[in-house]
Amino acid sequence: MNTYNLVVLDMAGTTVADGGLVERAFAAAADRLGVEPGSAEHATMLDYVRATMGESKISVFRHLFGDETRAQTANTAFEEAYGTLVDGGLIAPVPGAREAVERLTAEGRTVVLSTGFARVTQDAILAALGWQDLVPLTLCPADAGGRGRPYPDMVLSAFLRTGAVDSVRSVAVAGDTSYDMLSGVRSGAGLVAGVLTGAHGREDLAAAGATHVLGSIAELPAAIAESEAAE
């Protein structure tokens, strides 16, 4: 019998390779707000964007630009730029990602895809990959009351909305950032796996509470099966 019957997966950097589109879209947002490319201000902001990969993007822009109007303007510019880049065919699945999701599903597990992007951007990514019907539920921060990672809300929303498991300890979470790990740990998930295909490295993932650090999402089904066999 499976222990981990609900698996919540991050998208960009974990199941989706976007080739650095976040930074390119940020440049468009910064330009919209009048931040000079190459300036010290731009460099400082970009460092923050890199450090907070995985966090809800509107939260990042609230920190960077202060007042809500400027943050919303930056977020809109970011989402528009990212969507244009996605439509340009500049994203692809992480190798083995679809196969991992299909294997987990075939094993009787419910898989949910989550993101820190807005719904319109998430939908554009799913459409570009042909993943609209890959999983029964996809979540963005707005689907969880507006709070994205590192809050546990999206994981807990997956738990409540799917009814796939009776305990949060039977949830497995996987992502490429320390914020993904914190979200999983704070939700009470029993397995929190970091993958090395995205923003943060082994030390950052482990420091944020990863129970497993994997080369990629392709290794997750085997890691879950091994954890269940050891229990």
Side-chain angles (χ1 to χ4, degrees):
M1 180 179 295
N2 298 336
T3 299
Y4 300 104
N5 271 338
L6 177 58
V7 184
V8 183
L9 306 178
D10 172 53
M11 292 180 65
T14 302
T15 55
V16 179
D18 70 3
L21 297 193
V22 168
E23 293 188 16
R24 293 171 63 177
F26 165 74
D31 183 65
R32 181 80 62 89
L33 270 295
V35 180
E36 186 70 26
S39 66
E41 181 185 20
H42 190 281
T44 298
M45 287 184 171
L46 183 56
D47 284 343
Y48 184 79
V49 169
R50 289 168 175 159
T52 56
M53 288 289 191
E55 185 177 352
S56 169
K57 293 300 174 285
I58 185 59
S59 296
V60 172
F61 290 124
R62 283 173 179 141
H63 173 88
L64 291 176
F65 295 108
D67 71 85
E68 187 67 16
T69 298
R70 284 171 57 81
Q72 291 291 346
T73 298
N75 192 64
T76 297
F78 174 91
E79 299 287 353
E80 290 174 351
Y82 196 96
T84 298
L85 293 165
V86 167
D87 290 341
L90 298 179
I91 63 168
V94 168
R98 184 180 186 113
E99 292 81 1
V101 171
E102 289 174 341
R103 174 178 164 182
L104 292 167
T105 300
E107 292 171 349
R109 310 179 200 274
T110 298
V111 181
V112 175
L113 294 174
S114 64
T115 184
F117 295 134
R119 166 56 60 184
V120 63
T121 304
Q122 184 178 38
D123 286 346
I125 294 170
L126 294 168
L129 298 176
W131 281 11
Q132 298 97 320
D133 300 318
L134 183 61
V135 299
L137 179 65
T138 62
L139 294 171
C140 66
D143 300 321
R147 295 203 312 182
R149 308 179 190 105
Y151 297 102
D153 300 30
M154 285 194 290
V155 177
L156 295 175
S157 291
F159 170 74
L160 292 170
R161 290 176 63 170
T162 64
V165 293
D166 294 331
S167 167
V168 290
R169 298 300 297 168
S170 296
V171 179
V173 172
D176 66 298
T177 72
S178 58
Y179 285 81
D180 293 307
M181 303 301 96
L182 288 170
S183 178
V185 169
R186 291 171 178 176
S187 74
L191 189 151
V192 181
V195 297
L196 299 175
T197 51
H200 295 160
R202 182 179 299 273
E203 290 186 2
D204 288 334
L205 296 169
T211 60
H212 298 68
V213 178
L214 310 174
S216 83
I217 199 68
E219 300 173 16
L220 182 63
I224 289 176
E226 290 170 8
S227 294
E228 289 174 337
E231 291 177 355

